PDB file of all heavy atoms in Angstrom:
ATOM      1  N   ARG A 282     -13.332 -15.502  42.587  1.00  0.00           N
ATOM      2  CA  ARG A 282     -14.170 -14.316  42.763  1.00  0.00           C
ATOM      3  C   ARG A 282     -15.599 -14.565  42.291  1.00  0.00           C
ATOM      4  O   ARG A 282     -16.563 -14.209  42.973  1.00  0.00           O
ATOM      5  CB  ARG A 282     -13.567 -13.141  41.976  1.00  0.00           C
ATOM      6  CG  ARG A 282     -12.338 -12.523  42.620  1.00  0.00           C
ATOM      7  CD  ARG A 282     -11.768 -11.444  41.710  1.00  0.00           C
ATOM      8  NE  ARG A 282     -10.679 -10.715  42.355  1.00  0.00           N
ATOM      9  CZ  ARG A 282      -9.940  -9.804  41.726  1.00  0.00           C
ATOM     10  NH1 ARG A 282     -10.155  -9.549  40.447  1.00  0.00           N
ATOM     11  NH2 ARG A 282      -8.976  -9.167  42.367  1.00  0.00           N
ATOM     12  N   ALA A 283     -15.736 -15.156  41.105  1.00  0.00           N
ATOM     13  CA  ALA A 283     -17.071 -15.412  40.564  1.00  0.00           C
ATOM     14  C   ALA A 283     -17.829 -16.414  41.427  1.00  0.00           C
ATOM     15  O   ALA A 283     -19.038 -16.267  41.674  1.00  0.00           O
ATOM     16  CB  ALA A 283     -16.955 -15.928  39.129  1.00  0.00           C
ATOM     17  N   PHE A 284     -17.122 -17.426  41.890  1.00  0.00           N
ATOM     18  CA  PHE A 284     -17.722 -18.461  42.732  1.00  0.00           C
ATOM     19  C   PHE A 284     -18.233 -17.879  44.051  1.00  0.00           C
ATOM     20  O   PHE A 284     -19.364 -18.138  44.473  1.00  0.00           O
ATOM     21  CB  PHE A 284     -16.681 -19.552  42.992  1.00  0.00           C
ATOM     22  CG  PHE A 284     -17.201 -20.758  43.714  1.00  0.00           C
ATOM     23  CD1 PHE A 284     -18.364 -21.391  43.316  1.00  0.00           C
ATOM     24  CD2 PHE A 284     -16.504 -21.283  44.796  1.00  0.00           C
ATOM     25  CE1 PHE A 284     -18.837 -22.516  43.969  1.00  0.00           C
ATOM     26  CE2 PHE A 284     -16.957 -22.401  45.463  1.00  0.00           C
ATOM     27  CZ  PHE A 284     -18.132 -23.017  45.051  1.00  0.00           C
ATOM     28  N   VAL A 285     -17.411 -17.065  44.687  1.00  0.00           N
ATOM     29  CA  VAL A 285     -17.794 -16.454  45.964  1.00  0.00           C
ATOM     30  C   VAL A 285     -18.999 -15.540  45.795  1.00  0.00           C
ATOM     31  O   VAL A 285     -19.944 -15.572  46.601  1.00  0.00           O
ATOM     32  CB  VAL A 285     -16.597 -15.680  46.568  1.00  0.00           C
ATOM     33  CG1 VAL A 285     -17.050 -14.831  47.753  1.00  0.00           C
ATOM     34  CG2 VAL A 285     -15.497 -16.640  46.992  1.00  0.00           C
ATOM     35  N   ASP A 286     -18.984 -14.719  44.747  1.00  0.00           N
ATOM     36  CA  ASP A 286     -20.115 -13.815  44.510  1.00  0.00           C
ATOM     37  C   ASP A 286     -21.394 -14.586  44.210  1.00  0.00           C
ATOM     38  O   ASP A 286     -22.493 -14.184  44.618  1.00  0.00           O
ATOM     39  CB  ASP A 286     -19.796 -12.869  43.353  1.00  0.00           C
ATOM     40  CG  ASP A 286     -18.846 -11.748  43.771  1.00  0.00           C
ATOM     41  OD1 ASP A 286     -18.526 -11.677  44.978  1.00  0.00           O
ATOM     42  OD2 ASP A 286     -18.423 -10.960  42.902  1.00  0.00           O
ATOM     43  N   ASN A 287     -21.258 -15.685  43.478  1.00  0.00           N
ATOM     44  CA  ASN A 287     -22.433 -16.496  43.166  1.00  0.00           C
ATOM     45  C   ASN A 287     -23.006 -17.132  44.426  1.00  0.00           C
ATOM     46  O   ASN A 287     -24.228 -17.133  44.648  1.00  0.00           O
ATOM     47  CB  ASN A 287     -22.067 -17.573  42.136  1.00  0.00           C
ATOM     48  CG  ASN A 287     -23.267 -18.333  41.634  1.00  0.00           C
ATOM     49  OD1 ASN A 287     -23.708 -19.309  42.244  1.00  0.00           O
ATOM     50  ND2 ASN A 287     -23.825 -17.892  40.520  1.00  0.00           N
ATOM     51  N   LEU A 288     -22.126 -17.674  45.267  1.00  0.00           N
ATOM     52  CA  LEU A 288     -22.579 -18.296  46.518  1.00  0.00           C
ATOM     53  C   LEU A 288     -23.240 -17.279  47.438  1.00  0.00           C
ATOM     54  O   LEU A 288     -24.194 -17.605  48.158  1.00  0.00           O
ATOM     55  CB  LEU A 288     -21.400 -18.950  47.236  1.00  0.00           C
ATOM     56  CG  LEU A 288     -20.785 -20.199  46.599  1.00  0.00           C
ATOM     57  CD1 LEU A 288     -19.661 -20.728  47.475  1.00  0.00           C
ATOM     58  CD2 LEU A 288     -21.828 -21.284  46.380  1.00  0.00           C
ATOM     59  N   ARG A 289     -22.753 -16.063  47.402  1.00  0.00           N
ATOM     60  CA  ARG A 289     -23.308 -15.012  48.254  1.00  0.00           C
ATOM     61  C   ARG A 289     -24.790 -14.759  47.913  1.00  0.00           C
ATOM     62  O   ARG A 289     -25.597 -14.474  48.808  1.00  0.00           O
ATOM     63  CB  ARG A 289     -22.500 -13.731  48.092  1.00  0.00           C
ATOM     64  CG  ARG A 289     -22.918 -12.618  49.048  1.00  0.00           C
ATOM     65  CD  ARG A 289     -22.050 -11.381  48.880  1.00  0.00           C
ATOM     66  NE  ARG A 289     -20.687 -11.635  49.311  1.00  0.00           N
ATOM     67  CZ  ARG A 289     -19.635 -11.560  48.532  1.00  0.00           C
ATOM     68  NH1 ARG A 289     -19.776 -11.276  47.250  1.00  0.00           N
ATOM     69  NH2 ARG A 289     -18.420 -11.791  49.003  1.00  0.00           N
ATOM     70  N   VAL A 290     -25.133 -14.892  46.655  1.00  0.00           N
ATOM     71  CA  VAL A 290     -26.518 -14.639  46.226  1.00  0.00           C
ATOM     72  C   VAL A 290     -27.408 -15.866  46.414  1.00  0.00           C
ATOM     73  O   VAL A 290     -28.552 -15.760  46.867  1.00  0.00           O
ATOM     74  CB  VAL A 290     -26.541 -14.198  44.744  1.00  0.00           C
ATOM     75  CG1 VAL A 290     -27.978 -13.990  44.270  1.00  0.00           C
ATOM     76  CG2 VAL A 290     -25.749 -12.913  44.566  1.00  0.00           C
ATOM     77  N   ILE A 291     -26.880 -17.040  46.069  1.00  0.00           N
ATOM     78  CA  ILE A 291     -27.728 -18.233  46.090  1.00  0.00           C
ATOM     79  C   ILE A 291     -27.853 -18.860  47.478  1.00  0.00           C
ATOM     80  O   ILE A 291     -28.833 -19.553  47.762  1.00  0.00           O
ATOM     81  CB  ILE A 291     -27.232 -19.282  45.070  1.00  0.00           C
ATOM     82  CG1 ILE A 291     -28.378 -20.241  44.717  1.00  0.00           C
ATOM     83  CG2 ILE A 291     -26.022 -20.048  45.596  1.00  0.00           C
ATOM     84  CD1 ILE A 291     -28.105 -21.153  43.548  1.00  0.00           C
ATOM     85  N   SER A 292     -26.906 -18.614  48.372  1.00  0.00           N
ATOM     86  CA  SER A 292     -26.942 -19.230  49.704  1.00  0.00           C
ATOM     87  C   SER A 292     -28.237 -18.973  50.463  1.00  0.00           C
ATOM     88  O   SER A 292     -28.844 -19.914  51.001  1.00  0.00           O
ATOM     89  CB  SER A 292     -25.740 -18.766  50.538  1.00  0.00           C
ATOM     90  OG  SER A 292     -24.531 -19.199  49.971  1.00  0.00           O
ATOM     91  N   PRO A 293     -28.721 -17.723  50.519  1.00  0.00           N
ATOM     92  CA  PRO A 293     -29.976 -17.491  51.245  1.00  0.00           C
ATOM     93  C   PRO A 293     -31.185 -18.185  50.611  1.00  0.00           C
ATOM     94  O   PRO A 293     -32.192 -18.399  51.286  1.00  0.00           O
ATOM     95  CB  PRO A 293     -30.146 -15.962  51.174  1.00  0.00           C
ATOM     96  CG  PRO A 293     -28.786 -15.429  50.899  1.00  0.00           C
ATOM     97  CD  PRO A 293     -28.119 -16.467  50.051  1.00  0.00           C
ATOM     98  N   LYS A 294     -31.064 -18.560  49.328  1.00  0.00           N
ATOM     99  CA  LYS A 294     -32.167 -19.205  48.639  1.00  0.00           C
ATOM    100  C   LYS A 294     -32.232 -20.704  48.883  1.00  0.00           C
ATOM    101  O   LYS A 294     -33.282 -21.324  48.714  1.00  0.00           O
ATOM    102  CB  LYS A 294     -32.059 -18.961  47.124  1.00  0.00           C
ATOM    103  CG  LYS A 294     -32.064 -17.493  46.702  1.00  0.00           C
ATOM    104  CD  LYS A 294     -31.832 -17.381  45.205  1.00  0.00           C
ATOM    105  CE  LYS A 294     -31.727 -15.933  44.740  1.00  0.00           C
ATOM    106  NZ  LYS A 294     -33.018 -15.215  44.820  1.00  0.00           N
ATOM    107  N   ILE A 295     -31.098 -21.303  49.284  1.00  0.00           N
ATOM    108  CA  ILE A 295     -31.056 -22.770  49.364  1.00  0.00           C
ATOM    109  C   ILE A 295     -30.722 -23.308  50.753  1.00  0.00           C
ATOM    110  O   ILE A 295     -30.887 -24.508  50.993  1.00  0.00           O
ATOM    111  CB  ILE A 295     -30.040 -23.341  48.344  1.00  0.00           C
ATOM    112  CG1 ILE A 295     -28.611 -22.936  48.708  1.00  0.00           C
ATOM    113  CG2 ILE A 295     -30.388 -22.894  46.930  1.00  0.00           C
ATOM    114  CD1 ILE A 295     -27.564 -23.535  47.768  1.00  0.00           C
ATOM    115  N   LEU A 296     -30.248 -22.450  51.647  1.00  0.00           N
ATOM    116  CA  LEU A 296     -29.854 -22.924  52.974  1.00  0.00           C
ATOM    117  C   LEU A 296     -30.911 -22.597  54.022  1.00  0.00           C
ATOM    118  O   LEU A 296     -31.607 -21.572  53.918  1.00  0.00           O
ATOM    119  CB  LEU A 296     -28.517 -22.302  53.383  1.00  0.00           C
ATOM    120  CG  LEU A 296     -27.299 -22.668  52.532  1.00  0.00           C
ATOM    121  CD1 LEU A 296     -26.052 -21.997  53.070  1.00  0.00           C
ATOM    122  CD2 LEU A 296     -27.106 -24.174  52.449  1.00  0.00           C
ATOM    123  N   PRO A 297     -31.054 -23.432  55.047  1.00  0.00           N
ATOM    124  CA  PRO A 297     -32.029 -23.178  56.109  1.00  0.00           C
ATOM    125  C   PRO A 297     -31.646 -21.956  56.940  1.00  0.00           C
ATOM    126  O   PRO A 297     -30.468 -21.575  57.010  1.00  0.00           O
ATOM    127  CB  PRO A 297     -31.987 -24.463  56.945  1.00  0.00           C
ATOM    128  CG  PRO A 297     -30.653 -25.067  56.662  1.00  0.00           C
ATOM    129  CD  PRO A 297     -30.333 -24.706  55.243  1.00  0.00           C
ATOM    130  N   THR A 298     -32.633 -21.372  57.600  1.00  0.00           N
ATOM    131  CA  THR A 298     -32.416 -20.150  58.381  1.00  0.00           C
ATOM    132  C   THR A 298     -31.383 -20.355  59.478  1.00  0.00           C
ATOM    133  O   THR A 298     -30.557 -19.477  59.749  1.00  0.00           O
ATOM    134  CB  THR A 298     -33.746 -19.686  58.998  1.00  0.00           C
ATOM    135  OG1 THR A 298     -34.719 -19.507  57.954  1.00  0.00           O
ATOM    136  CG2 THR A 298     -33.564 -18.365  59.737  1.00  0.00           C
ATOM    137  N   ARG A 299     -31.397 -21.505  60.126  1.00  0.00           N
ATOM    138  CA  ARG A 299     -30.469 -21.752  61.222  1.00  0.00           C
ATOM    139  C   ARG A 299     -29.016 -21.686  60.767  1.00  0.00           C
ATOM    140  O   ARG A 299     -28.140 -21.217  61.489  1.00  0.00           O
ATOM    141  CB  ARG A 299     -30.760 -23.103  61.883  1.00  0.00           C
ATOM    142  CG  ARG A 299     -30.499 -24.311  61.020  1.00  0.00           C
ATOM    143  CD  ARG A 299     -30.795 -25.617  61.740  1.00  0.00           C
ATOM    144  NE  ARG A 299     -30.449 -26.788  60.959  1.00  0.00           N
ATOM    145  CZ  ARG A 299     -31.216 -27.331  60.018  1.00  0.00           C
ATOM    146  NH1 ARG A 299     -32.403 -26.796  59.757  1.00  0.00           N
ATOM    147  NH2 ARG A 299     -30.814 -28.400  59.353  1.00  0.00           N
ATOM    148  N   GLU A 300     -28.752 -22.163  59.545  1.00  0.00           N
ATOM    149  CA  GLU A 300     -27.392 -22.134  59.017  1.00  0.00           C
ATOM    150  C   GLU A 300     -26.966 -20.706  58.698  1.00  0.00           C
ATOM    151  O   GLU A 300     -25.817 -20.319  58.923  1.00  0.00           O
ATOM    152  CB  GLU A 300     -27.286 -22.999  57.770  1.00  0.00           C
ATOM    153  CG  GLU A 300     -25.893 -23.080  57.160  1.00  0.00           C
ATOM    154  CD  GLU A 300     -24.861 -23.689  58.100  1.00  0.00           C
ATOM    155  OE1 GLU A 300     -25.246 -24.497  58.979  1.00  0.00           O
ATOM    156  OE2 GLU A 300     -23.669 -23.360  57.956  1.00  0.00           O
ATOM    157  N   LEU A 301     -27.893 -19.903  58.190  1.00  0.00           N
ATOM    158  CA  LEU A 301     -27.588 -18.510  57.885  1.00  0.00           C
ATOM    159  C   LEU A 301     -27.332 -17.706  59.159  1.00  0.00           C
ATOM    160  O   LEU A 301     -26.436 -16.861  59.197  1.00  0.00           O
ATOM    161  CB  LEU A 301     -28.737 -17.894  57.086  1.00  0.00           C
ATOM    162  CG  LEU A 301     -29.002 -18.530  55.710  1.00  0.00           C
ATOM    163  CD1 LEU A 301     -30.249 -17.919  55.086  1.00  0.00           C
ATOM    164  CD2 LEU A 301     -27.809 -18.354  54.791  1.00  0.00           C
ATOM    165  N   LEU A 302     -28.116 -17.984  60.212  1.00  0.00           N
ATOM    166  CA  LEU A 302     -27.906 -17.305  61.499  1.00  0.00           C
ATOM    167  C   LEU A 302     -26.553 -17.687  62.094  1.00  0.00           C
ATOM    168  O   LEU A 302     -25.827 -16.846  62.636  1.00  0.00           O
ATOM    169  CB  LEU A 302     -29.034 -17.663  62.471  1.00  0.00           C
ATOM    170  CG  LEU A 302     -30.408 -17.072  62.147  1.00  0.00           C
ATOM    171  CD1 LEU A 302     -31.455 -17.631  63.096  1.00  0.00           C
ATOM    172  CD2 LEU A 302     -30.377 -15.549  62.212  1.00  0.00           C
ATOM    173  N   LYS A 303     -26.220 -18.970  61.980  1.00  0.00           N
ATOM    174  CA  LYS A 303     -24.923 -19.447  62.462  1.00  0.00           C
ATOM    175  C   LYS A 303     -23.792 -18.730  61.720  1.00  0.00           C
ATOM    176  O   LYS A 303     -22.782 -18.330  62.330  1.00  0.00           O
ATOM    177  CB  LYS A 303     -24.819 -20.952  62.257  1.00  0.00           C
ATOM    178  CG  LYS A 303     -23.480 -21.547  62.647  1.00  0.00           C
ATOM    179  CD  LYS A 303     -23.449 -23.035  62.319  1.00  0.00           C
ATOM    180  CE  LYS A 303     -22.050 -23.617  62.556  1.00  0.00           C
ATOM    181  NZ  LYS A 303     -21.995 -25.058  62.170  1.00  0.00           N
ATOM    182  N   PHE A 304     -23.964 -18.543  60.424  1.00  0.00           N
ATOM    183  CA  PHE A 304     -22.958 -17.856  59.607  1.00  0.00           C
ATOM    184  C   PHE A 304     -22.792 -16.403  60.062  1.00  0.00           C
ATOM    185  O   PHE A 304     -21.670 -15.894  60.144  1.00  0.00           O
ATOM    186  CB  PHE A 304     -23.370 -17.904  58.138  1.00  0.00           C
ATOM    187  CG  PHE A 304     -22.583 -16.998  57.246  1.00  0.00           C
ATOM    188  CD1 PHE A 304     -21.254 -17.266  56.954  1.00  0.00           C
ATOM    189  CD2 PHE A 304     -23.157 -15.863  56.694  1.00  0.00           C
ATOM    190  CE1 PHE A 304     -20.518 -16.426  56.138  1.00  0.00           C
ATOM    191  CE2 PHE A 304     -22.423 -15.017  55.877  1.00  0.00           C
ATOM    192  CZ  PHE A 304     -21.104 -15.298  55.598  1.00  0.00           C
ATOM    193  N   LEU A 305     -23.904 -15.728  60.371  1.00  0.00           N
ATOM    194  CA  LEU A 305     -23.829 -14.342  60.820  1.00  0.00           C
ATOM    195  C   LEU A 305     -23.058 -14.219  62.130  1.00  0.00           C
ATOM    196  O   LEU A 305     -22.249 -13.305  62.313  1.00  0.00           O
ATOM    197  CB  LEU A 305     -25.242 -13.772  60.977  1.00  0.00           C
ATOM    198  CG  LEU A 305     -26.027 -13.519  59.685  1.00  0.00           C
ATOM    199  CD1 LEU A 305     -27.444 -13.080  60.002  1.00  0.00           C
ATOM    200  CD2 LEU A 305     -25.320 -12.483  58.821  1.00  0.00           C
ATOM    201  N   VAL A 306     -23.304 -15.150  63.038  1.00  0.00           N
ATOM    202  CA  VAL A 306     -22.612 -15.131  64.325  1.00  0.00           C
ATOM    203  C   VAL A 306     -21.112 -15.358  64.133  1.00  0.00           C
ATOM    204  O   VAL A 306     -20.271 -14.629  64.683  1.00  0.00           O
ATOM    205  CB  VAL A 306     -23.201 -16.195  65.277  1.00  0.00           C
ATOM    206  CG1 VAL A 306     -22.357 -16.286  66.552  1.00  0.00           C
ATOM    207  CG2 VAL A 306     -24.648 -15.866  65.613  1.00  0.00           C
ATOM    208  N   VAL A 307     -20.763 -16.384  63.334  1.00  0.00           N
ATOM    209  CA  VAL A 307     -19.354 -16.693  63.078  1.00  0.00           C
ATOM    210  C   VAL A 307     -18.661 -15.525  62.385  1.00  0.00           C
ATOM    211  O   VAL A 307     -17.525 -15.165  62.723  1.00  0.00           O
ATOM    212  CB  VAL A 307     -19.230 -17.975  62.236  1.00  0.00           C
ATOM    213  CG1 VAL A 307     -17.785 -18.191  61.802  1.00  0.00           C
ATOM    214  CG2 VAL A 307     -19.736 -19.177  63.014  1.00  0.00           C
ATOM    215  N   SER A 308     -19.345 -14.903  61.417  1.00  0.00           N
ATOM    216  CA  SER A 308     -18.766 -13.766  60.691  1.00  0.00           C
ATOM    217  C   SER A 308     -18.516 -12.593  61.619  1.00  0.00           C
ATOM    218  O   SER A 308     -17.493 -11.886  61.508  1.00  0.00           O
ATOM    219  CB  SER A 308     -19.699 -13.337  59.549  1.00  0.00           C
ATOM    220  OG  SER A 308     -19.860 -14.380  58.620  1.00  0.00           O
ATOM    221  N   PHE A 309     -19.454 -12.375  62.553  1.00  0.00           N
ATOM    222  CA  PHE A 309     -19.308 -11.265  63.505  1.00  0.00           C
ATOM    223  C   PHE A 309     -18.098 -11.488  64.411  1.00  0.00           C
ATOM    224  O   PHE A 309     -17.315 -10.578  64.674  1.00  0.00           O
ATOM    225  CB  PHE A 309     -20.584 -11.131  64.345  1.00  0.00           C
ATOM    226  CG  PHE A 309     -20.514 -10.035  65.369  1.00  0.00           C
ATOM    227  CD1 PHE A 309     -20.569  -8.706  64.983  1.00  0.00           C
ATOM    228  CD2 PHE A 309     -20.389 -10.336  66.722  1.00  0.00           C
ATOM    229  CE1 PHE A 309     -20.499  -7.686  65.927  1.00  0.00           C
ATOM    230  CE2 PHE A 309     -20.317  -9.332  67.667  1.00  0.00           C
ATOM    231  CZ  PHE A 309     -20.374  -8.004  67.262  1.00  0.00           C
TER     232      PHE A 309
END
Side-chain angles (χ1 to χ4, degrees):
R282 285 176 173 174
F284 187 48
V285 169
D286 283 355
N287 187 275
L288 291 182
R289 186 178 292 118
V290 178
I291 202 169
S292 296
K294 301 175 184 290
I295 66 177
L296 296 181
T298 304
R299 67 179 185 277
E300 182 61 27
L301 297 174
L302 290 174
K303 177 184 173 183
F304 168 71
L305 289 175
V306 173
V307 172
S308 298
F309 179 72

